[in-house]
Amino acid sequence: MNLNELKKKAAWAALDYIHPGTIIGVGTGTTIFYFIEALSTIKNLIYGAVSSSNSSTVLLKKKGIEVFNLKNFSSLNIYVDSADEINSRMQMIKGGGGALTREKIIAKIAKKFICIIDKTKKVDVLGKFPLPVEIIPMAFSYFLQEMVKIGGIPKYRKNFITDNGNIIIDVYNLSIKDPISMEKKINSLPGVVTVGLFASRSADIILIGKKNGIQTIKK
Ligand code: 5RP
């Protein structure tokens, strides 16, 4: 079974957590592509979605799912998204698709965060996947210097502008033993919009697509 099939399995399993008449927070990426497909099969049961990126908004609308503007919401029942890495405390690296800032807002306001992954995303220590950080362009040199100071190898994500008009720096070579303090530290640097560490707000449920079915991990 290839990875896409495992992502698809996890995505369809998330439908069990969707209650009729609700608005669903929807993430971004290849796993979420499958989730949007799955969600479209019950679109008449739900009220609509709040989207974490322009690309997911396009897909949702294409599937006939109404998309509401995130700016009008301070609370949501459920958020379904994937991750680039997730540890046993359900803390994540996200932002491989560059949608980390809106994803963080949705994660914060959602009562339940369901993380759908294939088995390769589960790790012991976060950091093998380069940590994405959205920064404003003016902070470029300063931010790179700060990442080198903490042992990181920062790389500018070429030909990529976020939905918010900013740039992304992917920080390699980090072994993140204390994700909460790293999240706070990077978020506090001037010019940083969002760090792709989802540690203080971790996931609530993980659905892992596996060859023989779904593994569910709850907090
Ligand atoms: C996008 C994300 C995605 O959840 C993450 O990159 C995983 O993507 P995929 O499902 O394509 O593996 O954080 O910003």
Side-chain angles (χ1 to χ4, degrees):
M1 211 171 216
N2 70 31
L3 281 187
N4 281 335
E5 284 169 310
L6 300 180
K7 288 178 183 199
K8 196 171 180 176
K9 265 192 174 190
W12 280 80
L15 287 190
D16 289 347
Y17 296 84
I18 307 292
H19 297 296
T22 47
I23 295 179
I24 322 298
V26 175
T28 298
T30 52
T31 318
I32 286 303
F33 169 83
Y34 295 117
F35 175 66
I36 292 173
E37 268 189 357
L39 195 61
S40 72
T41 64
I42 59 159
K43 68 180 172 198
N44 296 329
L45 296 178
I46 61 165
Y47 202 68
V50 162
S51 166
S52 64
S53 63
N54 294 344
S55 57
S56 288
T57 299
V58 169
L59 284 173
L60 285 159
K61 285 185 175 166
K62 228 186 220 169
K63 292 287 180 188
I65 298 168
E66 186 162 1
V67 180
F68 296 92
N69 195 325
L70 176 56
K71 75 173 186 186
N72 297 319
F73 289 82
S74 57
S75 167
L76 277 177
N77 282 327
I78 190 163
Y79 173 38
V80 180
D81 199 357
S82 188
D84 298 301
E85 281 185 352
I86 186 160
N87 67 15
S88 55
R89 281 181 282 168
M90 300 197 179
Q91 298 165 321
M92 296 158 279
I93 286 186
K94 291 183 47 54
L100 58 164
T101 297
R102 296 185 193 182
E103 288 174 345
K104 221 172 222 195
I105 298 167
I106 300 180
K108 190 74 185 175
I109 66 172
K111 292 194 183 104
K112 199 160 272 177
F113 183 156
I114 301 192
C115 183
I116 52 175
I117 53 167
D118 65 76
K119 58 182 181 170
T120 63
K121 308 287 183 74
K122 195 83 177 38
V123 298
D124 292 328
V125 179
L126 299 173
K128 209 164 190 191
F129 190 92
L131 179 64
V133 187
E134 178 170 355
I135 65 167
I136 64 163
M138 284 280 180
F140 181 76
S141 297
Y142 162 71
F143 182 72
L144 260 54
Q145 170 194 282
E146 292 302 306
M147 290 303 97
V148 170
K149 273 190 202 162
I150 62 164
I153 301 174
K155 286 207 174 124
Y156 169 63
R157 195 180 291 184
K158 283 192 189 137
N159 304 318
F160 189 88
I161 296 291
T162 68
D163 289 346
N164 316 306
N166 296 308
I167 59 173
I168 298 247
I169 306 297
D170 293 301
V171 188
Y172 291 73
N173 200 43
L174 295 175
S175 177
I176 307 170
K177 305 248 165 52
D178 184 348
I180 291 183
S181 69
M182 176 80 86
E183 181 179 23
K184 276 191 195 140
K185 189 184 171 108
I186 297 180
N187 262 343
S188 71
L189 298 172
V192 168
V193 179
T194 312
V195 60
L197 258 178
F198 286 57
S200 57
R201 199 304 179 222
S202 51
D204 300 301
I205 296 175
I206 312 177
L207 302 176
I208 311 176
K210 293 195 162 169
K211 208 167 97 188
N212 304 323
I214 294 291
Q215 183 187 357
T216 304
I217 304 174
K218 292 187 181 171
K219 243 179 197 161

